[in-house]
Amino acid sequence: MKSFYLFCAAIAASLLLLAGCQKPDTCTQVSKYTIYTPVFMDIADLRKAVKSEAPHTIQQPGKIYLLGHYIFLNELNKGIHIIDNSSPAAPKIIAFVNIPGNVDMAVRGNILYADSYRDLVTLDISNPAAIKEVKRLEDVFTNRQQLFFTAAADPNKIVVDYELRDTTMTSNCQTIEMIVMDNAVAYQSTKAPSSASMALGKGGSMARFALLGQYLYTVDITSLSAFDIQQPLTPVKKSKTEITGGIMGGGMIETIFPYRTNLFVGGQRGMYIFDASTPESPAMKGRFEHAQKCDPVVVENDLAYITLRAGNTCSPNQESSLMVLDVKDIMAPKLIKSYPMTSPYGLGIDNGNLFVCEGATGIRFMNADDPAAITQLAQEKGLDAFDVIPHNKILLVTAKDGLYQYDYSNMLQPKLLSKINITVKQ
């Protein structure tokens, strides 16, 4: 699976000088580049594009969300696959919702919230095979620019893709060449509607949004935003809080996880705990800093589990690990123990059953009843795992080659129930 951060890393790597030569009286250098030519879409066309369609093949999956017997699987920047999971051994894709620029989604009751580049889209999913847009909040996600990118010059257009072309350039050694790009394929997200009596879904650990009470919280690379969703169809943005340690502090904010009245925000430089008891303006109460690494977090029984992935854009010279923290006192989180890992991505926790995605190494099935003595019970190899959702002894796993489901009622011998294959784009 191609992630946004791997995409950024490829761009950054393409700007490095790869070769050079010297002569007694002159110096030239040969630089290799990948040129990214932006593909534009009119905002007006973008805002008319949401529609329910027949099932599509899965080509580049992103985030997952689970509600009842339905799985919602993002197709990166394209839309959402709707999967009937009444039988986990035989899941069936029943529809695709075309949503340009979609990365995240969440569901409560019959309402699905999804991002569409700048906008927050509200969808009626009472008939999952014929989902309809019922409301759009325009320009609520204004921070669409990412590292290495700038905004489109025309405010009536948005960059929806890039055409790639490799090239080389010879220049004087004293000349610094740079490629200017016009925007980015972005993220941003939302999480869903109204009253506490409505059925609430469950997202993975890589989410950039969280639903808590009557509020929706989203994170971008530097900040936390709060939306009042007491009226499910008309969210109202209430506040935006800059997070110390964001990109200006040396690391991007990456994930958010709700627990009780708190929000646990994962970033490349640490975990930040926000008290949301005043929901319209959550306040940071505690933090736990670490070396710069990629950092999703999940919480159960006042214990926070954080995977720290080194390498690539995260931290090329550090070791990967799983950290367990006591967060009963949110103002003073304490490290219980750190466990070495290979290359961890998403993770999940369910009644002491811990699941860690390890990329090409597969998935670790672990017993976390004693946080100071976590043990591995099993490991599933042969899949490049990205994120998980454990629920009712069924583990959903997004991987490079498909959507997997495992029965983990026996953690020593997890059983593969099904796999929906991904069709690799040629």
Side-chain angles (χ1 to χ4, degrees), residues 4 7-8 11 38 77 117 144-152 158-162 181-187:
F4 175 75
F7 179 59
C8 289
I11 297 170
N77 288 304
Y117 290 115
R144 299 301 288 189
Q145 297 96 315
Q146 301 294 336
L147 198 61
F148 307 116
F149 302 94
T150 58
I158 193 165
V159 178
V160 296
D161 204 350
Y162 281 93
M181 287 160 289
D182 297 284
N183 202 287
V185 186
Y187 60 73

Side-chain angles (χ1 to χ4, degrees), residues 51-68:
K51 59 180 178 178
S52 187
E53 300 176 351
H56 288 205
T57 57
I58 300 170
Q59 296 183 334
Q60 193 175 358
K63 309 291 180 66
I64 47 175
Y65 203 87
L66 175 68
L67 177 66

Side-chain angles (χ1 to χ4, degrees), residues 215 225-230 236-240 279-281:
Y215 273 74
S225 295
F227 294 81
D228 183 336
I229 55 169
Q230 294 183 69
V236 178
K237 189 172 183 178
K238 287 294 187 178
S239 66
K240 182 176 181 179
E280 68 274 13
S281 55

